[in-house]
């Protein structure tokens, strides 16, 4: 990890986007979520009991926002590989695996403390509340598992430790400032006030992976590893194999 950390921060030549790009992406996320909720309301559908709305409402806003982030880097910069630091490196994968495993331990310990503070009845996530008791069909449960474990982490890393981190770097702020701000904004952007402190703890190893490698691959891997057990639990609960 020390050897990786010695690499210089790449210059952001040709990048013509900044905080405005991140705000646009966040607006796309929020407005698409509101639009989907409104469609459910107009149609008289209970979004928590509709398999289609559970999938669409959970997946589409994040994927759409990440897609807009990628388009912005193509239109106003050098593309996602350069601007979002998506260069592939096996050393980054190893760092991500190590910090992801550390994140699992930290998440487990932090979740134990958090559940005691807020109470077991409040110790759940927004997605967990959506699928709680929904008895999803196997195909829908697998789709949700793939989203929580793989698609969601990739999209969130593109947005926060890719686009937002890049916007902060463009201002000439330090890497530590980028690490702190992206960690806090990532936690707050989930719009789950009760879980914000827990999300900060979860985000720390992921942000450290981005900080020490200078690239996004390590944080994507760390995020995927960190989400795997919660995603698997969600899958087992959804299909009724594991009790809630």
């Amino acid at each position: 990890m020390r050897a990786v950390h010695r690499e210089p921060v790449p210059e952001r030549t040709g990048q013509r986007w900044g905080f405005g790009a991140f705000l646009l992406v966040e607006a796309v996320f929020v407005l698409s979520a509101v639009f989907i909720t409104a469609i459910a309301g107009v149609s008289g559908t209970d979004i928590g009991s509709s398999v289609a709305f559970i999938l669409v409402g959970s997946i589409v806003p994040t994927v759409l926002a990440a897609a807009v982030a990628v388009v912005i880097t193509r239109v106003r910069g050098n593309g996602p590989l350069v601007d979002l630091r998506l260069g592939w490196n096996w050393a980054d994968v190893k760092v991500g695996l190590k910090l992801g495993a550390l994140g699992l331990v930290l998440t487990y310990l932090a979740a134990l403390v958090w559940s005691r503070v807020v109470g077991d009845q409040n110790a759940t996530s927004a997605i967990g509340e959506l699928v709680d008791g929904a008895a999803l069909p196997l195909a829908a449960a697998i789709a949700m598992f793939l989203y929580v474990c793989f698609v969601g982490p990739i999209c969130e890393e593109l947005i926060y430790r890719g686009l937002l981190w890049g916007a902060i770097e463009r201002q000439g702020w330090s890497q530590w400032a980028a690490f702190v701000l992206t960690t806090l904004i990532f936690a707050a952007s989930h719009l789950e006030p009760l879980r914000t402190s827990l999300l900060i703890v979860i985000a720390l190893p992921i942000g450290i992976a981005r900080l020490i490698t200078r690239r996004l691959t390590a944080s994507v891997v760390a995020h995927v590893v960190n989400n795997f057990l919660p995603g698997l639990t969600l899958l087992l609960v959804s299909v009724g194999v594991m009790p809630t």
Side-chain angles (χ1 to χ4, degrees):
M1 290 188 185
R2 291 177 182 175
V4 175
H5 185 56
R6 291 194 189 102
E7 295 184 9
V9 180
E11 293 185 6
R12 290 191 167 271
T13 57
Q15 177 182 319
R16 293 173 289 120
W17 54 265
F19 282 115
F22 173 72
L23 293 176
L24 173 61
V25 167
E26 285 293 284
V28 169
F29 173 80
V30 172
L31 291 176
S32 60
V34 170
F35 179 76
I36 293 168
T37 303
I39 292 295
V42 170
S43 64
T45 303
D46 178 7
I47 196 170
S49 61
S50 168
V51 172
F53 273 107
I54 287 175
L55 291 177
V56 172
S58 300
I59 298 173
V60 169
T62 305
V63 172
L64 185 59
V68 172
V70 169
V71 170
I72 287 172
T73 65
R74 288 190 177 277
V75 174
R76 300 282 297 170
N78 308 289
L81 292 180
V82 175
D83 285 0
L84 303 184
R85 305 298 188 238
L86 276 171
W88 180 263
N89 188 311
W90 278 111
D92 294 351
V93 174
K94 294 177 181 178
V95 171
L97 290 172
K98 292 176 181 178
L99 287 170
L102 174 62
L104 280 175
V105 176
L106 289 178
T107 298
Y108 175 74
L109 296 175
L112 287 179
V113 175
W114 176 71
S115 63
R116 288 182 178 273
V117 172
V118 303
D120 291 338
Q121 70 279 7
N122 296 316
T124 185
S125 65
I127 290 181
E129 289 177 355
L130 270 180
V131 302
D132 184 23
L136 295 179
L138 181 59
I142 291 174
M144 187 62 74
F145 167 76
L146 293 175
Y147 169 72
V148 171
C149 292
F150 301 102
V151 178
I154 292 170
C155 290
E156 289 182 347
E157 290 309 302
L158 289 173
I159 295 168
Y160 296 101
R161 276 158 285 267
L163 197 74
L164 177 58
W165 194 295
I168 295 170
E169 280 187 335
R170 188 167 185 250
Q171 298 301 313
W173 298 355
S174 72
Q175 292 283 297
W176 283 101
F179 166 67
V180 171
L181 286 174
T182 54
T183 298
L184 296 177
I185 294 173
F186 169 83
S189 67
H190 283 72
L191 304 178
E192 300 177 61
L194 201 60
R195 295 183 71 236
T196 299
S197 58
L198 177 61
L199 286 165
I200 289 174
V201 175
I202 292 172
L204 288 174
I206 301 172
I208 291 172
R210 173 67 172 84
L211 178 69
I212 66 176
T213 64
R214 317 293 196 193
R215 288 179 292 271
L216 201 61
T217 305
S219 64
V220 169
V221 173
H223 202 153
V224 167
V225 172
N226 189 266
N227 277 29
F228 182 77
L229 287 182
L232 181 60
T233 300
L234 189 64
L235 172 63
L236 297 176
V237 169
S238 298
V239 298
V241 174
M242 181 181 292
T244 58

